[in-house]
Amino acid sequence: MSNMPFEIDLIFNQNLISMQQQHALNRYIERSNNREHLKSELQHKNPLEVSKPERVFFRKAIINPLDGLALERIIEGNDLFPISYFEAGLKAAKSVCRIEVRDRIGRVRGHGTGFLVSPSLLLTNNHVLADEDAALFSLAQFNYELGLDLKERQIKNFRLAPNRFFLTDENLDFTLVAVEETSADGAKLSDFAFLPLSPNKGKVLVGEHVSIIQHPSGAPKMVANRENKILDIFDDFVQYETDTQPGSSGSAVFNDEWMVIALHHAGVPDPQDRTKYIANEGIRISSIVQFLMNQSQNLSDDQKILFDELSKGWELVENTSEEIFSEKLALDWYEDSTGHDCEFLGDDYEVPHPTLHPELETDIALLKNGEKILNYTHFSIVMSESRRLAYYTVVNLDGNKLVDVGRENNWFFDSRIDQKYQCGPELYANNEIDKGHLVRRRDPIWGDLAQKANKDTFHFTNCSPQHKNLNQKTWLDLEDYILEKAEKFNFKATVFTGPVFRSDDVTYRGVQIPAEFWKVAVMVKEDGKLSATAYLQSQKHLIDDLEDAYGAYKTFQVPVLKIEELTGLDFGKLRNYDPISRVEGSIGHVIETSEDIKV
C-alpha cells in the first residue's frame, strides 16, 4: 500500500483527506472485536454462512448460472476462472480514466481516478473534485495505459462539464459530474462505454476478494487483481486489506463479476505509525445510489435527463421485514380533516400552534395551496423543507373515547405536499431504522373517526427515522404512560412531538438523522389548572453505527424553555404552566419511573 492512500497531492484538500482517514480509522477500531470474531468464523465456515442473509441472497442472485466455479471461489477460495474473466476486466477498464486536476491558469495540481457510470456522467471522490470550479478546469484522460509493446497509448483528453451536471457530497466523499461528448482530438466519449451502478446491497461478502482498476499516483492504468480481501462491511462503507500496489482516489472497486461494489477513497492509517496503512476503504455504491435517488427531485429538467440515463434499471430496494407501500390518497380524503383543535381542552384553556423562529419559518414546506399546516384527523403537522421531516406534530387525545383499531401496514405520501419534501421508504429499507410515528398511532384513534385517524397516522409526513431501540423501548414507555393516564382518568391531553434538528446530525442515505426527540404534554389537572410538561430523549449514541447499535440511554423531564431553545419553536404561554420551570435553577431530571414525572 502506498504512503499516499488518496494518490493526490492537493494542498487545499489536506484537511479533508486527513478527516476522511480519521473517520476510516474510527470505523476500523470500533469494529475490531467483531472483525476478529469474523476471522475466526471464516476459518471454519464460508462467507455465505457468516454474512447477512439479505447480502447472501443477492450475492447468489447475481452469479451467472453458467459460471460453475463461482460458488467454489466464494466458499473455498478456488482461483479458477473462465478465460472470459479477463476479457470482462478489459471491458470494464475502458471506462476508467485518470483525472488531471488543474487550476485556473492550467497548472497541474494533482491526479486522481474516475470512471464513467452513464453515457455522460463520471464518478470520482469529493476530495478529488470538491467543487464546480475544480471540475471546470480539470480533464478526464482516457486510454492512458500501456500497450503490449509497453509503450503509452495516445491519451484522449475530455473536458468536464459541471455546468451541465455536478453533484457532490463530502460525507460520502463522491462527486458526480458531466463530461463533454467529444475529446480535444475528436474522439467520442461513447467509445469508452460506462460501468452501470446497481442500487442493491449484497454485491460482495466479507472474506471475498475484490479488484481495483486505478491510476496509482497518476501513472498509467493498472489493476490490483483480487489482491484485496473484504474485511468489514459498514452501512455506507466497505473496508478491505491493503495490497502491495498503491490505490488511487476515485477508483472503481469490483467483485469477481466485474460489478462496481465501491468507490475507493481512503487508506486506514496505522494508529501506531501514521506513515503506514492497515486497510483500504471505499464508499458502498448502494449508499451513493440511495443518496442520488433522494436528491433527484431537486434537479433541473436538463439535469434530470442526464440522471435518467444513469438510473435506468434502478429499482427501489424494499425492506424485506414488512411490505412497503408508497401510494397516495386522493385529495378528497383530506377535505374534512380539521387537525388540531386549539380549544380541545376547554374554552378557557386555549393551546395554539407554536410559532417558529423567522429562519425556520422560511423553511416550512408549503402545501400546494400555499398553506403551512397539514391537518389530519385529530392531529396536525408542520414540515421542514430542507430536512424533509416534521418540525413538530400536535395531537388531541381523548381518554374517554378511545377505540381499539387494528394496525395498518400501508404507508402513504401526502398528495397535498410535494413528494420531494417527504422521506419515503428508501430511507428505511434493510437497516436498524424504524419509521417512528411522531403522532403515536393510538393517540388520535377515538370517537366516530377512529378508523380514519388510524390510517392518517401512516403518512410518511408523520414518521421520523428512529433507531429501533428508541422507537420500540424507551420512547414507547413514555407514550404508554401518557395514554394510560388519559384512559384511566378519562381526561383529555394535547401532545406536541418532534425531532431536534442539529447541523452535525449524521447523514444517512442523503438524510440527516435527528439524534434527539422531544414531547410537550398539555393537560388540565384535577384542580382545574393547566399543566405543560416537556421531555427529551436521545438516540445519539445509537446512530453512530447503524449496523451495530446498542446500549441504554436516559429520558429527561426538562423545562419547556429547554425545548424552545433546542428547536426554535415558541410555545407562548405554555411555558408558564410548566411545573419545573418554577423551580429556581432547574435544568431537568432523569425519568426512570412514572413517579419521577412532575405535573
Side-chain angles (χ1 to χ4, degrees):
M1 180 69 187
S2 164
N3 288 338
M4 290 177 56
F6 285 90
E7 305 310 326
I8 186 163
D9 187 21
L10 300 181
I11 296 174
F12 50 84
N13 271 340
Q14 287 305 311
N15 289 337
L16 179 58
I17 291 172
S18 297
M19 180 187 71
Q20 296 289 2
Q21 289 180 351
Q22 187 60 48
H23 289 335
L25 176 59
N26 291 344
R27 283 185 282 270
Y28 185 93
I29 292 173
E30 288 170 359
R31 294 276 278 272
S32 292
N33 291 336
N34 289 345
R35 187 163 45 253
E36 290 303 316
H37 177 67
L38 275 176
K39 283 184 178 179
S40 176
E41 286 195 328
L42 282 167
Q43 291 175 358
H44 307 287
K45 299 181 180 180
N46 66 70
L48 297 180
E49 294 175 315
V50 299
S51 295
K52 286 197 170 186
E54 64 268 23
R55 292 198 186 108
V56 173
F57 176 84
F58 186 73
R59 187 71 187 92
K60 289 181 176 179
I62 64 175
I63 294 175
N64 191 321
L66 298 178
D67 187 354
L69 297 175
L71 286 178
E72 287 189 37
R73 286 196 293 273
I74 296 174
I75 298 172
E76 301 175 0
N78 191 327
D79 286 331
L80 292 176
F81 287 84
I83 198 68
S84 60
Y85 168 82
F86 297 99
E87 183 178 357
L90 282 173
K91 180 180 178 182
K94 283 183 67 71
S95 303
V96 178
C97 67
R98 181 175 74 168
I99 296 177
E100 191 170 83
V101 183
R102 298 182 175 187
D103 62 16
R104 290 176 175 270
I105 60 175
R107 293 177 299 186
V108 177
R109 302 303 304 274
H111 295 94
T113 302
F115 52 100
L116 291 171
V117 293
S118 82
S120 303
L121 299 178
L122 177 143
L123 186 65
T124 187
N125 290 137
N126 166 272
H127 74 261
V128 173
L129 298 176
D131 51 47
E132 294 188 42
D133 280 348
L136 185 63
F137 303 103
S138 300
L139 295 175
Q141 300 178 319
F142 291 85
N143 210 44
Y144 183 43
E145 56 195 54
L146 301 181
L148 291 176
D149 57 0
L150 298 183
K151 293 181 179 179
E152 292 182 6
R153 289 175 173 159
Q154 184 180 4
I155 294 177
K156 303 298 180 181
N157 291 299
F158 288 79
R159 298 196 69 86
L160 304 178
N163 57 314
R164 293 181 61 208
F165 192 102
F166 187 90
L167 186 59
T168 191
D169 183 69
E170 185 174 301
N171 292 319
L172 290 180
D173 195 15
F174 82 89
T175 289
L176 186 66
V177 60
V179 185
E180 296 288 2
E181 297 178 356
T182 306
S183 72
D185 63 356
K188 301 295 183 183
L189 188 65
S190 57
D191 293 340
F192 299 95
F194 64 90
L195 300 170
L197 303 182
S198 168
N200 298 88
K201 296 185 177 183
K203 294 184 281 292
V204 73
L205 304 176
V206 171
E208 274 197 83
H209 291 278
V210 293
S211 301
I212 305 176
I213 298 178
Q214 57 194 289
H215 283 278
S217 300
K221 191 182 301 175
M222 295 185 184
V223 58
N225 188 42
R226 305 191 84 238
E227 290 293 329
N228 298 271
K229 183 180 288 187
I230 297 294
L231 297 174
D232 209 346
I233 298 174
F234 300 82
D235 198 63
D236 293 323
F237 301 91
V238 58
Q239 291 185 348
Y240 30 93
E241 291 175 342
T242 55
D243 55 62
T244 56
Q245 298 295 323
S248 287
S249 293
S251 300
V253 183
F254 298 90
N255 62 13
D256 280 343
E257 285 73 36
W258 293 106
M259 179 180 291
V260 185
I261 63 107
L263 172 67
H264 177 72
H265 87 127
V268 181
D270 187 337
Q272 306 302 321
D273 184 353
R274 304 292 289 196
T275 66
K276 297 180 180 179
Y277 296 86
I278 52 180
N280 276 325
E281 185 179 84
I283 306 102
R284 294 176 66 178
I285 290 299
S286 56
S287 295
I288 293 175
V289 167
Q290 288 287 1
F291 183 94
L292 295 172
M293 291 171 70
N294 291 340
Q295 297 297 314
S296 62
Q297 296 297 321
N298 300 324
L299 301 176
S300 67
D301 291 341
D302 290 339
Q303 290 171 330
K304 285 180 179 179
I305 293 174
L306 297 181
F307 183 84
D308 288 343
E309 292 179 340
L310 170 70
S311 60
K312 282 181 180 177
W314 286 2
E315 296 178 359
L316 184 65
V317 183
E318 294 189 344
N319 193 332
T320 56
S321 64
E322 65 172 314
E323 192 171 7
I324 293 177
F325 292 83
S326 54
E327 302 170 353
K328 290 183 179 180
L329 297 170
L331 284 174
D332 58 8
W333 172 268
Y334 309 98
E335 284 182 356
D336 298 325
S337 300
T338 56
H340 166 53
D341 179 359
C342 296
E343 297 181 349
F344 178 70
L345 300 182
D347 295 341
D348 298 327
Y349 305 103
E350 184 180 11
V351 182
H353 282 269
T355 58
L356 280 72
H357 186 279
E359 289 184 7
L360 304 184
E361 186 78 20
T362 60
D363 185 52
I364 292 176
L366 299 178
L367 281 66
K368 294 175 181 177
N369 64 5
E371 295 180 358
K372 298 179 179 179
I373 299 174
L374 288 163
N375 287 320
Y376 298 95
T377 307
H378 302 151
F379 68 97
S380 298
I381 297 174
V382 172
M383 295 288 291
S384 163
E385 182 177 302
S386 61
R387 298 295 292 259
R388 301 168 61 209
L389 300 169
Y391 270 122
Y392 72 88
T393 65
V394 53
V395 60
N396 300 141
L397 192 165
D398 192 333
N400 192 40
K401 299 180 181 179
L402 290 174
V403 177
D404 193 10
V405 175
R407 181 182 177 88
E408 290 264 354
N409 278 323
N410 297 13
W411 284 82
F412 303 95
F413 287 110
D414 193 317
S415 55
R416 296 172 295 174
I417 188 173
D418 198 310
Q419 188 168 313
K420 68 182 179 182
Y421 302 137
Q422 306 173 61
C423 292
E426 71 281 353
L427 175 61
Y428 303 94
N430 300 319
N431 54 33
E432 300 294 322
I433 296 295
D434 280 348
K435 294 186 288 293
H437 279 79
L438 291 174
V439 169
R440 189 217 179 125
R441 183 185 74 86
R442 294 172 60 195
D443 287 358
I445 301 176
W446 51 268
D448 296 335
L449 298 175
Q451 292 281 359
K452 191 167 190 278
N454 181 49
K455 196 165 190 172
D456 273 352
T457 64
F458 285 88
H459 277 80
F460 286 114
T461 52
N462 185 43
C463 67
S464 190
Q466 296 177 348
H467 189 276
K468 66 177 184 180
N469 288 348
L470 175 73
N471 186 32
Q472 297 171 7
K473 296 177 183 177
T474 312
W475 200 236
L476 187 61
D477 292 342
L478 177 61
E479 293 175 324
D480 278 342
Y481 173 80
I482 296 172
L483 183 68
E484 288 169 5
K485 289 296 182 183
E487 187 172 16
K488 181 177 180 179
F489 297 105
N490 297 324
F491 69 69
K492 295 179 179 181
T494 292
V495 182
F496 298 88
T497 305
V500 176
F501 290 150
R502 297 184 185 274
S503 60
D504 63 349
D505 283 333
V506 173
T507 299
Y508 174 64
R509 296 183 180 177
V511 177
Q512 283 190 281
I513 308 297
E516 295 167 303
F517 290 83
W518 57 269
K519 283 186 181 293
V520 173
V522 187
M523 60 193 72
V524 180
K525 297 187 294 183
E526 292 181 1
D527 61 6
K529 294 180 180 179
L530 207 61
S531 171
T533 54
Y535 310 91
L536 181 68
Q537 289 191 327
S538 175
Q539 64 173 355
K540 193 169 183 60
H541 72 288
L542 290 176
I543 62 172
D544 288 338
D545 186 339
L546 293 172
E547 293 282 354
D548 287 318
Y550 62 90
Y553 50 95
K554 296 180 179 178
T555 303
F556 298 88
Q557 181 173 355
V558 298
V560 172
L561 282 169
K562 181 64 176 177
I563 302 301
E564 292 180 321
E565 174 188 326
L566 290 173
T567 63
L569 301 177
D570 186 340
F571 287 94
K573 294 181 180 179
L574 285 186
R575 69 178 76 95
N576 299 331
Y577 304 105
D578 182 354
I580 70 171
S581 68
R582 295 188 291 273
V583 179
E584 186 175 351
S586 175
I587 59 173
H589 58 274
V590 176
I591 299 295
E592 293 181 345
T593 68
S594 59
E595 285 73 23
D596 296 321
I597 297 177
K598 293 180 171 59
V599 296

